[in-house]
Amino acid sequence: MKVTCPNCQEKLTPKAIKNINKKGIYVAKQCPSCENWFSLSKPLTILKTLGISLLLLTSLLNMFDIKSEYSLVFSGIGFAGILVAILITFLGKNEKVDKPVV
Ligand SMILES: [Zn+2]
């Protein structure tokens, strides 16, 4: 999976990115080519986190057989959640961010 730097449009492999700054659910990465920082846009980051949480939650419900009559529904919701998260990971646009304060 390659990410495109929103600044210099350079296609980057995740391995090429050396500097990563994590702040809660937000992850900022530094482009090794132009040294500018970028990250997935905030609404998309939140949506992605929500999707993953949905999968975790519904998997847990199924695992512990809580409301097992709805297990198929939970699986469906969980699947939709992870689908959204994957789509955002692959298609989500990155945007330029300020250099994180270290
Ligand atoms: Zn760049």
Side-chain angles (χ1 to χ4, degrees):
M1 180 197 120
K2 283 190 176 170
V3 287
T4 308
C5 172
N7 205 54
C8 63
Q9 306 303 320
E10 181 88 14
K11 293 236 188 302
L12 309 160
T13 51
K15 267 188 188 167
I17 300 165
K18 297 272 187 295
N19 291 325
I20 293 171
N21 189 283
K22 282 185 186 161
K23 197 176 165 193
I25 59 168
Y26 303 113
V27 182
K29 295 166 183 165
Q30 189 183 31
C31 173
S33 172
C34 66
E35 301 197 334
N36 273 291
W37 289 81
F38 62 90
S39 84
L40 198 63
S41 73
K42 282 188 176 174
L44 284 180
T45 306
I46 293 166
L47 208 65
K48 185 180 157 185
T49 310
L50 257 162
I52 295 168
S53 315
L54 217 57
L55 177 78
L56 283 175
L57 186 77
T58 51
S59 311
L60 277 175
L61 287 170
N62 279 346
M63 209 182 288
F64 293 108
D65 242 1
I66 300 164
K67 304 240 182 243
S68 55
E69 64 264 39
Y70 295 117
S71 69
L72 214 64
V73 179
F74 290 152
S75 301
I77 294 170
F79 183 71
I82 200 65
L83 206 65
V84 166
I86 289 169
L87 279 177
I88 290 172
T89 306
F90 279 92
L91 305 172
K93 285 258 178 285
N94 288 298
E95 62 182 18
K96 212 180 147 196
V97 291
D98 293 334
K99 187 181 188 296
V101 189
V102 185

